[in-house]
Amino acid sequence: MDPPLPCHPPSNWLKLFSSQTLSHMYTPTILKFSNYLPTKMEQTECSETSAYKIQTPGNYPKENIQRTKSTQILPYADDVAIMSRSKNALKDTFSNIEKEARRRGLLVNENKTKYMQVERAVHNDEHLCCGQHKFEHVKEISYLGSQMNQTNSISSEIQARIFSGNRCYYAYGKLMKSRALNGSSKLKIYKSLIRPVVTYGCEAWTLTNRDEQHLRISERRILRKIFGPVQNKDGSWRIRMNYELNELMGNADIVRFIKSKRIAWLGHVMRMDDKRTPKRILEWKPIGTRTRGRPQKRGTAGIEEDLQIMGVRRWRKQCEERAEWKKITEKAKTHSGL
């Protein structure tokens, strides 16, 4: 065995999030290493699972998703996601990574370690025990700026994004209420500073009618404060109606903006090489049998419905042309049917 590498005391603890997906037969686990983690990781095989042997110097491998029969390891920057089909495979993979991490002076902080089990039915599971560690079981976690929950629903992520957008608006409250700025300037502030907070990661969202309604309500609340009330002929004041706000925005509301971003991202992924990870995930077909009940709506199905409403035919061929696909994306921002 190689001698332990010299390492400074870590500034942060080793952080682990984990979850088990029964409906799709995977268990995501996320490991966050300290800043002193060496940069090159060499894969070492151990039975059906895989671990990464940490070495230095070097760079991360180009293929960040490691596929095995029972476990997948997804390193991103200083976060490592471990997805496994069973708890036993998850424990074995974690033990292998912890063993290599201890050699470099990295430890596990149980207070920052979470375990989540993803499936259709929500229930309270026991905490996960890995050797001497006991990791808390949670119903939702935050990873890479996105909210992940136990039922794999995007609605909680959208609600969290709306809440963050409201906080951002009130952070610029004095500026948005200032009479020195006209409505056009305030609208530019909203589009450049507040709306990006709400729509972060929207390219992968699968919207329901309720989600669209919540997004539009949140935007209208801000727009009414930007443009102010309207004075009637009798001298009374009233708030602006929905159609009036839609006219001021030129039909470009937040839901149509999100759908245009999804269309743009779909074309970007379709133009990728077949070996690229996003393209392989997009065209991946689940194996196994579905559980009883209505299947969840897929993201590509929603985008195909939007393209059909816009009258786009044979979109797989059209997305190969960047210029043509960009025109479709711009058209989606103001299309009244979306």
Side-chain angles (χ1 to χ4, degrees), residues 191 195 249-253 256-265 307 310 312 321-336 338:
K191 290 183 178 180
R195 190 172 66 179
M249 293 288 291
N251 270 358
D253 64 1
R256 296 187 181 99
F257 175 79
I258 292 174
K259 292 183 177 182
S260 68
K261 298 288 286 185
R262 295 194 309 178
I263 293 174
W265 175 249
L307 294 173
M310 295 173 60
V312 178
E321 300 293 336
R322 292 178 181 269
E324 293 297 327
W325 197 251
K326 188 175 181 180
K327 292 179 182 179
I328 296 174
T329 302
E330 293 298 325
K331 181 181 177 181
K333 293 181 179 180
T334 57
H335 197 280
S336 58
L338 301 182

Side-chain angles (χ1 to χ4, degrees), residues 153-155 157-159 161-162 198-199 201-216 253-262 294 296-303 305-306 338:
S153 173
I154 202 65
S155 297
E157 163 67 7
I158 294 176
Q159 292 296 330
R161 291 283 107 204
I162 293 175
V198 181
T199 59
C202 66
E203 293 84 355
W205 287 359
T206 302
L207 297 175
T208 62
N209 293 334
R210 180 173 295 182
D211 295 333
E212 294 180 5
Q213 183 180 7
H214 290 164
L215 288 166
R216 286 193 167 108
D253 64 1
I254 189 171
V255 174
R256 296 187 181 99
F257 175 79
I258 292 174
K259 292 183 177 182
S260 68
K261 298 288 286 185
R262 295 194 309 178
R294 179 183 177 182
Q296 295 184 356
K297 186 177 181 180
R298 297 187 60 189
T300 52
I303 300 176
E305 291 177 4
D306 297 338
L338 301 182

Side-chain angles (χ1 to χ4, degrees), residues 101-114:
R102 283 184 176 276
R103 295 181 56 212
R104 273 70 185 177
L106 299 175
L107 303 176
V108 177
N109 189 346
E110 293 187 11
N111 296 328
K112 296 182 179 179
T113 300
K114 307 298 178 183

Side-chain angles (χ1 to χ4, degrees), residues 16 20 28 87 94-95 102 174-175 182 202-203 245 252 277 308:
L16 163 71
Q20 185 175 11
K87 290 184 179 180
F94 169 74
S95 300
R102 283 184 176 276
K174 293 183 179 180
L175 190 62
N182 56 19
C202 66
E203 293 84 355
L245 295 175
T277 299
Q308 186 176 5

